[in-house]
Amino acid sequence: MKIYNTMTRRKEEFVPVDKNEVKIYACGPTVYNFIHIGNARPLCVFDVLRRYMEYRGMNVKFVQNFTDVDDKIIKRANEEGITFEEVSKKYIKEFWTDAHGLNFKDATVHPKATENIDEIIDIIQSLEAKGYAYAVDGDVYFRTLKFKEYGKLSHQPIEDLQSGARIAIGEKKEDPLDFALWKAAKEGEPYWESPWGKGRPGWHIECSAMNRRYLGKTIDIHCGGKDLVFPHHENEITQSECANGCTFAKYWMHNGYINVDNVKMSKSLGNFKTVREIADVYGYEVIRYFLISSHYRSPINYNLEIIEQCKSALDRLYTCRESLDFAIKNANDDVACDDELLALITNRREQFITAMDDDLNTADGLSAVFELVKDINTKILDKNISKKICMSAAEIFDELCGVLGILYNRKSNDLDAEIEALIAKRQKARANKDWAAADKIRDDLKSKGIILKDTPQGVTWTKE
């Protein structure tokens, strides 16, 4: 498998640090609001990465954090007149509603910043002892220029970074590029006791601490949105490598931005869409499909027309899979297996793997799934095909969709006794050429959400 590494700006063969375990860290949400589709893109993309690696036989340890104390959380708490803990608890619960709706597979560990204060303090103390950090009136800053490789992830010359750096009012930094590791508590803010007084961690240090605690000093893949490359991930590298004395992450993966009606999604523009409000209209699975339908590094554009197209594509997949169930049920066991057709069906799996091995190309992976759908529709359905081929097609179909995390809302094909009886009664009416009775039964079933389709092999049905 090859992965595009943001650090080197090229595709590289993926070779894990430890052949027995792949260690992946994905930056999670700051929990002060509902997640938007920008948050959902890395959630879905890197869920597919994990699923694909496990599909290929790798043992994956996947960590995704919650930032549960932060300026935005404190601001929301003050606005609502509740504690920061209540805010974070509320929106972590809302996160899980959306994440599970999107078929996100729970990480191995979901640590919180507030659960790792001791680890955070320990790293800051080691940086201070090595001369990389300094305290001023309860705040602790990192001496950025002391790390000679600063800017290596974002590929920005230090001169360019310096020209854009500023010291905010109230900050007492030695240099504008220095960043906060620990913040002295202000009146009314939450705090923890520390060697520098009452305070709370800076944003960047929490991920370094959780990486080291749950995955070790060097991990395989660190991933997140493109917006995190600078300064968040740049600063993570800086403080982690200075504290630990070794490479922080071998591979860096970043997904592209989301545009809304061809304009970059931004809260300042008021054009951001929450997952919840889209799901209320279209359901969660359409959102997941949309987010993985393009290559993860490419920007994607959200609009209602595209969402409708994604819904139609999913409907096509569901219809094919339901028709395949019917074909399996009615296949003739005595028909010989067509080895050439079986090879064609099996090759769709290899087509999918080739696409996904090329930097997690889900767009081409989906193309392989739809090629399989075309094979099923034109070469299997309504044909006198062996049960072996039908079952092989279903197995591969389910495998590939499972890796992508789609088609997870398949309804059971077990009809209750009443509906089974109605279908049998309609078949009998048709045999007796009692078309009026047959049509009435069809209409009755339609009112129950059961849509019938008459084929040469018998009656197929789908649920609305």
Side-chain angles (χ1 to χ4, degrees):
M1 181 179 186
K2 289 188 176 181
I3 289 174
Y4 181 88
N5 190 348
T6 306
M7 180 71 74
T8 60
R9 290 186 171 179
R10 65 174 184 266
K11 291 181 186 179
E12 299 177 357
E13 196 72 33
F14 177 69
V15 181
V17 176
D18 180 350
K19 65 180 182 180
N20 296 314
E21 184 177 65
V22 176
K23 298 176 181 179
I24 303 176
Y25 186 92
C27 282
T30 300
V31 283
Y32 70 101
N33 206 340
F34 293 95
I35 62 171
H36 53 69
I37 54 173
N39 305 131
R41 191 176 191 191
L43 196 69
C44 293
V45 163
F46 300 118
D47 179 62
V48 172
L49 173 68
R50 177 203 187 169
R51 286 170 181 265
Y52 181 66
M53 287 184 160
E54 289 176 340
Y55 172 68
R56 299 284 276 148
M58 302 179 203
N59 177 32
V60 179
K61 186 173 185 181
F62 187 83
V63 175
Q64 184 185 58
N65 73 300
F66 289 115
T67 295
D68 62 338
V69 62
D70 172 88
D71 290 340
K72 294 174 182 176
I73 296 172
I74 294 169
K75 182 174 182 291
R76 176 56 64 91
N78 292 336
E79 290 171 350
E80 297 187 9
I82 57 179
T83 66
F84 86 94
E85 292 100 335
E86 290 173 304
V87 170
S88 62
K89 183 178 180 180
K90 172 184 176 180
Y91 287 108
I92 287 174
K93 182 179 178 181
E94 298 295 353
F95 166 86
W96 282 122
T97 297
D98 290 333
H100 290 152
L102 292 166
N103 200 28
F104 173 75
K105 184 178 177 181
D106 290 8
T108 313
V109 187
H110 281 282
K112 301 181 182 71
T114 58
E115 297 171 341
N116 290 275
I117 299 299
D118 289 345
E119 184 76 16
I120 289 168
I121 290 173
D122 183 63
I123 291 180
I124 296 173
Q125 284 184 300
S126 69
L127 289 170
E128 193 174 30
K130 294 178 180 181
Y132 288 108
Y134 60 95
V136 183
D137 297 336
D139 293 324
V140 184
Y141 296 99
F142 187 93
R143 287 190 175 94
T144 302
L145 295 179
K146 190 173 174 64
F147 184 61
K148 301 306 180 184
E149 295 181 279
Y150 192 74
K152 65 180 179 178
L153 180 67
S154 55
H155 302 278
Q156 299 183 76
I158 198 71
E159 296 78 18
D160 292 351
L161 295 172
Q162 286 175 312
S163 67
R166 299 288 185 272
I167 296 179
I169 295 173
E171 289 184 321
K172 299 178 181 179
K173 299 189 288 188
E174 295 176 354
D175 187 273
L177 272 181
D178 294 351
F179 57 89
L181 299 170
W182 188 264
K183 296 181 178 182
K186 297 176 184 176
E187 186 67 30
E189 287 188 346
Y191 65 83
W192 287 262
E193 297 289 349
S194 80
W196 315 282
K198 296 176 180 179
R200 58 187 172 89
W203 176 35
H204 314 299
I205 194 66
E206 67 178 69
C207 286
S208 288
M210 287 184 274
N211 263 288
R212 190 170 80 172
R213 177 177 176 182
Y214 297 101
L215 293 174
K217 294 181 178 180
T218 299
I219 68 172
D220 293 295
I221 301 172
H222 198 310
C223 47
K226 190 176 180 180
D227 58 309
L228 297 180
V229 173
F230 187 88
H232 185 50
H233 288 167
E234 194 76 72
N235 290 351
E236 272 192 76
I237 292 169
T238 299
Q239 60 205 10
S240 293
E241 295 191 355
C242 290
N244 301 328
C246 57
T247 299
F248 178 39
K250 285 187 66 179
Y251 306 89
W252 290 84
M253 298 178 71
H254 294 94
N255 63 270
Y257 294 114
I258 291 182
N259 298 323
V260 176
D261 292 323
N262 296 309
V263 177
K264 182 180 173 183
M265 190 176 73
S266 166
K267 289 187 178 178
S268 62
L269 294 176
N271 68 341
F272 72 98
K273 303 288 184 181
T274 67
V275 168
R276 189 69 56 85
E277 64 184 320
I278 300 171
D280 284 344
V281 179
Y282 292 98
Y284 285 102
E285 189 171 11
V286 174
I287 302 172
R288 183 180 179 102
Y289 185 95
F290 163 67
L291 293 172
I292 66 169
S293 61
S294 299
H295 191 283
Y296 77 91
R297 285 192 288 117
S298 301
I300 55 174
N301 185 51
Y302 170 89
N303 61 43
L304 295 183
E305 181 182 354
I306 292 171
I307 289 296
E308 289 286 357
Q309 291 170 359
C310 292
K311 182 177 182 298
S312 295
L314 275 171
D315 288 344
R316 186 182 171 199
L317 292 176
Y318 274 103
T319 299
C320 176
R321 188 61 184 84
E322 288 164 2
S323 298
L324 193 53
D325 276 338
F326 180 80
I328 292 170
K329 183 179 177 181
N330 293 280
N332 189 339
D333 289 324
D334 297 328
V335 175
C337 177
D338 182 338
D339 291 338
E340 187 175 334
L341 178 55
L342 182 61
L344 174 67
I345 297 296
T346 304
N347 283 341
R348 297 304 179 198
R349 179 191 283 128
E350 300 309 313
Q351 180 184 345
F352 178 84
I353 290 171
T354 299
M356 299 291 279
D357 273 351
D358 185 14
D359 192 31
L360 201 71
N361 193 332
T362 54
D364 284 356
L366 275 169
S367 293
V369 174
F370 278 101
E371 288 293 328
L372 177 60
V373 168
K374 182 180 177 182
D375 295 335
I376 292 168
N377 287 338
T378 61
K379 296 179 171 62
I380 294 179
L381 301 182
D382 300 336
K383 303 288 192 300
N384 192 21
I385 297 297
S386 73
K387 181 167 282 192
K388 179 179 179 180
I389 288 181
C390 293
M391 294 184 69
S392 294
E395 178 185 354
I396 295 169
F397 190 103
D398 292 344
E399 271 183 29
L400 308 191
C401 289
V403 172
L404 296 171
I406 56 175
L407 261 65
Y408 54 92
N409 287 313
R410 286 187 65 206
K411 297 179 176 67
S412 170
N413 282 351
D414 294 328
L415 292 177
D416 60 37
E418 178 190 357
I419 297 175
E420 286 278 14
L422 283 170
I423 290 177
K425 187 176 180 181
R426 178 176 178 269
Q427 291 299 88
K428 185 175 181 179
R430 282 169 57 84
N432 294 331
K433 297 186 179 181
D434 187 352
W435 310 119
D439 289 346
K440 185 179 185 304
I441 293 170
R442 174 192 284 273
D443 292 341
D444 288 344
L445 286 170
K446 186 175 182 180
S447 71
K448 298 175 185 294
I450 306 297
I451 306 302
L452 303 184
K453 179 182 178 183
D454 296 309
T455 75
Q457 286 73 39
V459 181
T460 65
W461 61 271
T462 56
K463 284 187 179 181
E464 288 185 316

